[in-house]
């Protein structure tokens, strides 16, 4: 079987935040590629209100505003992350 792959490229974080469809996809994604996401500062807490239960691989490229990938005090656990 092929993994669930989601690539978000050259968009603003506000668009992601407002998109119900993207949030639904984020809950099922196994491989997430973020490329040039503008105004995204805290990757995990801003992209998912819950967690990423199936996430195995995360790639971040050219996201110049990112300050944190995972907030250590957030309490989210990634059981599948490799």
């Amino acid at each position: 079987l092929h993994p669930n792959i989601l690539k978000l490229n050259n968009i603003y974080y506000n668009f992601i935040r407002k998109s119900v469809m993207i949030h639904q996809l984020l809950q099922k994604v196994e491989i997430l590629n973020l490329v040039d996401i503008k105004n995204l500062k805290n990757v995990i807490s801003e992209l998912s209100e819950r967690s990423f239960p199936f996430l195995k691989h995360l790639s971040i490229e050219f996201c110049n505003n990112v300050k944190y990938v995972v907030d250590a005090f957030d309490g989210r656990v990634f059981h599948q992350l490799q």
Side-chain angles (χ1 to χ4, degrees):
L1 293 172
H2 296 286
N4 290 328
I5 299 171
L6 177 61
K7 181 173 186 174
L8 301 173
N9 189 358
N10 194 28
I11 58 175
Y12 282 87
Y13 162 67
N14 284 337
F15 176 79
I16 297 170
R17 185 175 52 101
K18 293 176 182 178
S19 173
V20 173
M21 181 182 65
I22 291 177
H23 281 280
Q24 290 174 343
L25 292 171
L26 287 170
Q27 291 304 306
K28 298 178 185 216
V29 69
E30 293 177 44
I31 298 173
L32 178 59
N33 297 319
L34 303 173
V35 180
D36 194 23
I37 308 300
K38 295 159 183 67
N39 299 328
L40 177 65
K41 294 180 180 158
N42 190 331
V43 174
I44 300 303
S45 70
E46 289 181 357
L47 289 182
S48 177
E49 293 177 3
R50 292 174 237 142
S51 68
F52 294 91
F54 303 105
L55 186 65
K56 294 181 180 179
H57 301 278
L58 173 63
S59 172
I60 303 169
E61 301 176 53
F62 308 110
C63 298
N64 297 331
N65 297 112
V66 168
K67 293 186 182 208
Y68 306 101
V69 175
V70 177
D71 185 344
F73 299 104
D74 195 342
R76 296 173 198 226
V77 179
F78 304 95
H79 298 289
Q80 301 292 325
L81 200 60
Q82 297 177 357

